[in-house]
Amino acid sequence: MKVRIKTKEEIARIREAGSILAECHREISKMIGPGITTLEIDGFVESFLAGRGATPEQKGYRGFPFATCASVNDVVCHGFPGDRKLEQGDIVTIDIVVNKNGWLADSGWSYRIGEVSDEAEMLLSATEKALYAGIAQAVPGGRMGDIGYAVSRTALEAKVGVVKPLIGHGIGRSMHEPPDVPNFGRPRTGLRLQSGMVITIEPIFTGGETGAVYWGDDGWTIRSADGSLGAHYEHTLAILDDGPVVLTK
C-alpha cells in the first residue's frame, strides 16, 4: 500500500488532534501517582477528550474495550486498564490515540510512580533518549533504516532489549497507515523519507537484553518474556522540508 503524503492543511488537522493529546498527557502527569488506578485514568481520558470534541480511537478498535492502553511494569504494550492501585516504584505507560474531526494523533508515555529503582530509571531514560534519537533522523532524503538504527543503537549502548515485533507506523485518517517504522535497521537502507510523511516513532524496550515478549490470553496484553520491566515512548511527527516537527509535543 502506498505511503500517503499529507498536505499542510492535513498536517494542521493532525496537529490539532496532537495538541489535545499532549494536553491530556500533561494532565495525566499531574494526577498519576501511588493510589490511583489505571481504570480511573482511563475514565479521565475519555471525559477529557469528550470535553474537547474528540474521541479515543482505540475504544472499539478490533474490539479493544478501553480509551487507553495502560501497561504496568512487565507489560510492555496494549495493557488493559484495571482496578489495581498503582504503587511506589511502579512504571506505567499510558498510550492514547486521539480522533479529532476524523484526523488522528498517537502518543504513549511511560510514567514513574514515585521513586523508581535504578534499573527502571535507566530503562526509562534510555527509551526516551531513543525516541529523540529516532526523531532526529526523520528528515527528507533520509532512509527508514536511519531511524531504526538510531533507536536500536541507543538500546545497545544501554544494554536493554528492543521489542522488535512492535513498531511505529504512518498515521492520518487511520490509526495504522504505511509506512512501517521499525525500531531497528541499517543506516542508508529502507524506504526513502519524504516531506509530508506523518509517522509515529515509538521505541519499546525491556530491561532484559533479548526484548522477547509474549501475548496474554486476552489477545492484547503483551508482556516481557523474562519478567523484566517494559518502557514505551511515542510521538507523532511530520517530516517537513526543514526537518521533523513533533505534533504531539
Side-chain angles (χ1 to χ4, degrees):
M1 194 171 174
K2 188 178 179 182
V3 175
R4 190 166 177 277
I5 301 301
K6 272 68 172 185
T7 66
K8 288 182 180 180
E9 292 75 16
E10 290 169 338
I11 291 171
R13 302 290 290 277
I14 298 169
R15 187 195 294 270
E16 184 181 10
S19 66
I20 293 169
L21 180 43
E23 186 184 0
C24 188
H25 269 299
R26 283 195 295 273
E27 292 303 314
I28 291 169
S29 71
K30 297 173 187 175
M31 66 189 292
I32 200 166
I36 197 168
T37 70
T38 51
L39 203 54
E40 290 171 325
I41 294 168
D42 190 76
F44 165 79
V45 169
E46 192 153 17
S47 297
F48 180 92
L49 298 184
R52 282 152 182 78
T55 55
E57 187 72 5
Q58 283 114 305
K59 193 166 186 178
Y61 176 77
R62 296 184 179 177
F64 190 82
F66 298 100
T68 65
C69 299
S71 305
V72 181
N73 293 335
D74 66 317
V75 178
V76 300
C77 202
H78 301 159
F80 283 9
D83 57 9
R84 170 189 172 274
K85 291 184 178 180
L86 296 175
E87 299 174 359
Q88 178 94 9
D90 286 340
I91 65 174
V92 55
T93 300
I94 305 296
D95 191 4
I96 309 166
V97 184
V98 168
N99 183 324
K100 174 68 173 177
N101 297 325
W103 291 92
L104 310 181
D106 186 359
S107 177
W109 214 254
S110 291
Y111 292 93
R112 299 157 176 82
I113 306 303
E115 295 267 337
V116 300
S117 67
D118 291 345
E119 175 198 1
E121 184 61 45
M122 182 273 296
L123 175 65
L124 292 164
S125 297
T127 312
E128 186 175 1
K129 179 181 177 182
L131 169 64
Y132 291 106
I135 289 171
Q137 298 300 317
V139 296
R143 298 279 189 171
M144 193 62 75
D146 299 334
I147 295 174
Y149 177 73
V151 170
S152 63
R153 184 179 61 186
T154 306
L156 184 66
E157 289 170 351
K159 297 183 179 179
V160 298
V162 178
V163 181
K164 290 187 174 181
L166 301 175
I167 60 176
H169 49 86
I171 190 168
R173 284 192 172 277
S174 298
M175 194 187 311
H176 298 121
E177 298 181 355
D180 290 346
V181 186
N183 289 313
F184 57 95
R186 289 184 294 117
R188 298 178 294 281
T189 65
L191 180 72
R192 188 172 294 282
L193 305 176
Q194 299 177 59
S195 182
M197 286 182 175
V198 177
I199 60 174
T200 73
I201 295 177
E202 46 181 310
I204 303 174
F205 293 170
T206 64
E209 289 187 56
T210 68
V213 295
Y214 70 94
W215 270 252
D217 293 339
D218 59 24
W220 285 99
T221 302
I222 303 174
R223 296 179 182 272
S224 64
D226 58 6
S228 63
L229 296 172
H232 177 191
Y233 287 88
E234 174 188 17
H235 272 313
T236 297
L237 60 131
I239 300 174
L240 301 181
D241 289 340
D242 52 357
V245 174
V246 175
L247 305 178
T248 47
K249 192 171 182 178

